Amino acid sequence: MANLATGAAPKKFTRRNASIGDRIFDTLNITFLCLLMIVTLYPFLNTLALSLNRAMDSIRGGIYIWPRDLSIENYKFVFSQSTIFHATLISILRLVIGSITTVFCSAMVAYTISRQDFVLRKFITIAFVLTAYINPGLIPNYLNIRDLGLIDSFWVYIWPGLIGVFNLILIRSFIDGLPESILESGRIDGAGEFRTFFNIVLPLCLPVLATVALFTAVYQWNSWLDVFLYNSSNINLSTLQYELQKILQNSSASSSAASAFSNPDAAANAVTPLAVRSTMTIVASVPMIVMYPFLQKYFVKGMMVGGVKG
């Protein structure tokens, strides 16, 4: 107050005049964050080093974050499979179509059950929530998919998971936190429910929709069990994850066969399950790593607001 009365500029707070307790806190905080960064990055860097190291040399161990015997033979082996590129295309189509349809349908149902004047609001909400606790099992689920005619069909990747309970509740909680006055202003201007949903609700729900899109994209990209159960007989509908799973299984047999060769060069260039698994992890995780930075700002906001409100 004295500085303001005399017109003198207020003193700026700097870390030079910080107390001993503040400096200790800063030191511990920086140390903890550095350790957390190392713990987070090390598994990925170690996996990358193993994938870029010669397979038979990796068996010796001692590889941490840098390959000892640099080689791209593991990647050549993975990408030399004839079905890998077509499977990648199917995975991309599954990711794009599945993410868009899941986000749109979940948002539409979430908006419907968020309306207080909807008569069946509580009943539909309870019906969806019960599906998260009641699992019929693998065989009834397979029979249901078969009766719906989704066996050997691309749409078996899309329809069964079209609306997820967690996604539904997350979006509904976000919509419940929107100011009712904004929706009322749209109705006063003559907007119906569909126009309100498309022109008002969807743009305001962009953070939580991006969050749900990220969850769905990760699920669609990493899923392989449904391919094994429903489309294993149709090679044209195989996905990247399923093909990588088959490569991992075949690598054990090829490694054992190579070790029995009398030719040392054949054994030296053989792949191992460890090398193939590391290479598969890098190949499968790169698209998600590239996608995440673009959705990170929406992801944080969508989780905080959608998870707290409602």
Side-chain angles (χ1 to χ4, degrees):
M1 294 299 293
N3 290 333
L4 294 177
T6 59
K11 294 182 179 179
K12 294 183 179 180
F13 177 80
T14 62
R15 303 312 293 179
R16 293 181 180 178
N17 54 8
S19 63
I20 297 178
D22 291 336
R23 293 181 180 180
I24 294 176
F25 173 79
D26 289 343
T27 302
L28 294 177
N29 191 29
I30 294 173
T31 303
F32 172 76
L33 291 178
C34 290
L35 291 176
L36 182 62
M37 181 185 67
I38 294 174
V39 171
T40 304
L41 290 179
Y42 175 75
F44 180 80
L45 295 178
N46 178 253
T47 303
L48 180 62
L50 288 172
S51 68
L52 291 173
N53 198 80
R54 190 166 55 85
M56 299 306 293
D57 179 74
S58 301
I59 299 178
R60 295 164 48 196
I63 299 175
Y64 301 104
I65 62 174
W66 193 259
R68 182 171 51 230
D69 188 356
L70 186 63
S71 174
I72 59 172
E73 291 300 324
N74 299 326
Y75 289 91
K76 287 183 178 180
F77 173 77
V78 170
F79 288 108
S80 65
Q81 310 301 313
S82 59
T83 59
I84 201 73
F85 292 102
H86 181 76
T88 303
L89 176 61
I90 296 297
S91 292
I92 294 175
L93 289 175
R94 174 178 181 173
L95 184 150
V96 174
I97 298 175
S99 300
I100 293 175
T101 54
T102 297
V103 169
F104 178 76
C105 293
S106 298
M108 182 171 288
V109 176
Y111 172 72
T112 302
I113 63 177
S114 67
R115 299 300 85 208
Q116 298 292 336
D117 54 351
F118 181 52
V119 179
L120 300 177
R121 176 173 178 264
K122 291 185 178 180
F123 173 78
I124 294 180
T125 301
I126 294 174
F128 272 107
V129 171
L130 286 177
T131 61
Y133 295 96
I134 301 175
N135 188 356
L138 184 61
I139 295 178
N141 187 57
Y142 179 86
L143 296 177
N144 185 37
I145 296 296
R146 185 197 62 183
D147 293 340
L148 291 174
L150 296 178
I151 301 295
D152 288 338
S153 170
F154 174 81
W155 298 109
V156 74
Y157 305 143
I158 310 299
W159 300 133
L162 197 59
I163 299 177
V165 179
F166 176 79
N167 299 334
L168 185 66
I169 295 176
L170 194 66
I171 300 176
R172 193 205 66 176
S173 299
F174 193 96
I175 296 176
D176 288 339
L178 297 177
E180 188 64 27
S181 58
I182 298 180
L183 303 181
E184 290 296 334
S185 63
R187 297 189 181 96
I188 293 175
D189 292 338
E193 294 296 341
F194 281 100
R195 187 175 178 182
T196 301
F197 174 72
F198 284 104
N199 294 351
I200 299 177
V201 175
L202 284 185
L204 293 176
C205 289
L206 184 60
V208 72
L209 295 182
T211 303
V212 172
L214 181 61
F215 288 158
T216 306
V218 171
Y219 165 76
Q220 293 286 5
W221 182 258
N222 290 332
S223 183
W224 64 271
L225 183 60
D226 49 2
V227 186
F228 172 73
L229 293 175
Y230 310 123
N231 288 337
S232 58
S233 61
N234 191 342
I235 192 64
N236 293 323
L237 295 177
S238 183
T239 62
L240 176 63
Q241 299 296 337
Y242 184 60
E243 291 301 317
L244 293 178
Q245 182 70 17
K246 292 195 298 184
I247 293 173
L248 179 60
Q249 294 177 351
N250 295 335
S251 65
S252 300
S254 63
S255 177
S256 300
S259 61
F261 290 161
S262 57
N263 186 356
D265 293 334
N269 295 326
V271 295
T272 62
L274 175 63
V276 174
R277 183 165 59 247
S278 301
T279 307
M280 287 168 45
T281 303
I282 297 300
V283 171
S285 60
V286 165
M288 294 297 103
I289 294 175
V290 173
M291 181 187 302
Y292 183 79
F294 297 98
L295 300 177
Q296 182 180 12
K297 60 178 180 180
Y298 301 111
F299 177 79
V300 175
K301 184 177 179 181
M303 283 299 295
M304 289 296 295
V305 179
V308 172
K309 297 202 174 191

